[in-house]
Amino acid sequence: MTFDNIVEVLKKLLDVLVVWFVFYSVLKNLRKNVKMVLLFKGIIFIIILKVISDILNLATIGYLLNYLIQWGPLALIIIFQPEIRNVLEQLGRSQLLGRHKVLTVDEREKMVYEITNAMEQLRKNRIGALIVVERDNSLHDYIEKSKKIYAEISSDLLISIFFPNNPLHDGGVIIQGDKITSAGAVFPTSDNAKISKRLGTRHRAALGISEEMDCISLVVSEETGRLSMAIDGELFYNLTLEELRLKLLEALRPKRVIDDYDEEEDTDEEFVQNDN
């Protein structure tokens, strides 16, 4: 094999890898956007219907589908412009090296302890709270519009931020790594029709930001004192403190450290048992 042949093979391999990376990035971000997932399913359904109409020679359906396929992309771009923009923004905000900081087991345990301890105290005193933890997608845009703090995570600080009459208590707290980065953050509210009308703005904001980003949203209800968690566009309502700890520990587990999974699982379970 000549040098030119080797270069040609490497070019083709690079071409395939770039295409694979683009598709992977798009599909990864599609999965985190509920509306775009529904749009993607609709496109797949139309393609399947078109194939069936061609096989069975269904003239009328085929005629309508041809027009739909011809003008559909333009219509989709206009109708779903906000969702397409969100996906592109997520691609731009994604950090190639993962989350803001990959926490060690000890750091993760301390972080979960401080957060859950604060939420328990807030729950007992019927003080509402919204805490958002960054993962792979940067929350830079929301941090820029909120009050910068950048302090060590502590339950006392979280409680004081959400204490009534505090100027920042109405917004949300953003956590990056093991630091409280900002407070008073405002997040988009979800327009999911399946959400109970009994849930207030905090729960809708928690679900809304989790639909757009891959962050973890934690809520303490001011009215009921119930604890909730939103992740990947799904709201887990009225969790016990132990359920919240387990879900938070699992969600914070580094995605790329697969070899240490079993060892960390034992450590996390021991932490939860000792903390009870």
Side-chain angles (χ1 to χ4, degrees):
M1 181 178 289
T2 64
F3 178 76
D4 291 339
N5 291 336
I6 295 176
V7 172
E8 189 65 27
V9 171
L10 291 177
K11 286 182 179 180
K12 292 181 179 179
L13 180 61
L14 179 61
D15 186 29
V16 173
L17 289 176
V18 170
V19 173
W20 175 86
F21 178 75
V22 171
F23 271 100
Y24 171 78
S25 300
V26 171
L27 291 176
K28 179 182 178 182
N29 285 277
L30 277 177
R31 180 178 57 85
K32 299 166 188 171
N33 191 304
V34 177
K35 293 182 179 178
M36 290 301 291
V37 169
L38 296 175
L39 173 61
F40 185 74
K41 289 180 179 179
I43 293 173
I44 295 298
F45 175 77
I46 292 174
I47 293 174
I48 293 174
L49 192 60
K50 173 62 176 172
V51 172
I52 294 174
S53 69
D54 289 342
I55 293 175
L56 300 179
N57 196 24
L58 303 176
T60 305
I61 295 178
Y63 182 78
L64 293 175
L65 288 176
N66 284 335
Y67 271 100
L68 183 61
I69 293 173
Q70 182 179 356
W71 298 104
L74 180 59
L76 290 175
I77 291 174
I78 296 173
I79 297 172
F80 291 94
Q81 182 268 338
E83 286 72 27
I84 295 173
R85 183 191 63 193
N86 289 335
V87 170
L88 294 176
E89 287 178 351
Q90 289 175 19
L91 288 172
R93 286 191 292 244
S94 296
Q95 301 174 4
L96 294 177
L97 297 179
R99 56 171 62 90
H100 178 73
K101 177 183 179 181
V102 177
L103 302 175
T104 65
V105 175
D106 291 338
E107 289 173 335
R108 188 162 66 251
E109 290 177 355
K110 180 180 183 299
M111 174 184 175
V112 172
Y113 171 78
E114 295 293 344
I115 292 175
T116 54
N117 185 49
M119 293 181 69
E120 175 66 7
Q121 296 302 317
L122 293 168
R123 180 190 68 80
K124 290 179 179 179
N125 292 281
R126 290 293 194 275
I127 298 175
L130 172 58
I131 302 172
V132 176
V133 183
E134 180 185 276
R135 294 202 293 174
D136 284 337
N137 293 141
S138 173
L139 296 172
H140 173 77
D141 290 350
Y142 299 99
I143 294 171
E144 284 299 306
K145 299 175 183 178
S146 58
K147 186 67 175 179
K148 314 298 188 302
I149 296 179
Y150 205 75
E152 295 287 340
I153 293 179
S154 71
S155 56
D156 291 338
L157 179 56
L158 288 171
I159 293 171
S160 65
I161 290 174
F162 291 110
F163 198 80
N165 299 323
N166 186 315
L168 301 175
H169 85 282
D170 280 335
V173 162
I174 296 178
I175 294 176
Q176 289 182 310
D178 57 351
K179 297 288 190 299
I180 299 176
T181 303
S182 66
V186 178
F187 304 110
T189 56
S190 175
D191 55 0
N192 191 332
K194 296 181 180 180
I195 304 176
S196 172
K197 295 182 179 180
R198 295 183 293 106
L199 299 181
T201 305
R202 283 194 181 91
H203 289 86
R204 292 183 177 276
L207 187 58
I209 188 63
S210 75
E211 289 174 345
E212 293 190 4
M213 312 293 287
D214 72 333
C215 58
I216 308 165
S217 303
L218 306 169
V219 183
V220 179
S221 173
E222 185 175 355
E223 290 77 16
T224 64
R226 291 175 176 174
L227 307 178
S228 304
M229 173 177 173
I231 185 170
D232 295 332
E234 184 175 2
L235 179 66
F236 299 93
Y237 182 67
N238 193 20
L239 297 173
T240 66
L241 191 62
E242 182 178 355
E243 289 172 339
L244 184 68
R245 286 173 177 166
L246 290 173
K247 285 185 176 295
L248 188 53
L249 282 167
E250 180 62 28
L252 289 171
R253 192 187 305 278
K255 298 178 181 178
R256 295 169 178 81
V257 186
I258 300 175
D259 294 338
D260 297 336
Y261 179 88
D262 294 334
E263 179 181 349
E264 290 184 4
E265 184 177 29
D266 295 338
T267 307
D268 290 345
E269 291 177 354
E270 182 180 353
F271 161 71
V272 173
Q273 292 173 358
N274 292 337
D275 199 51
N276 287 336

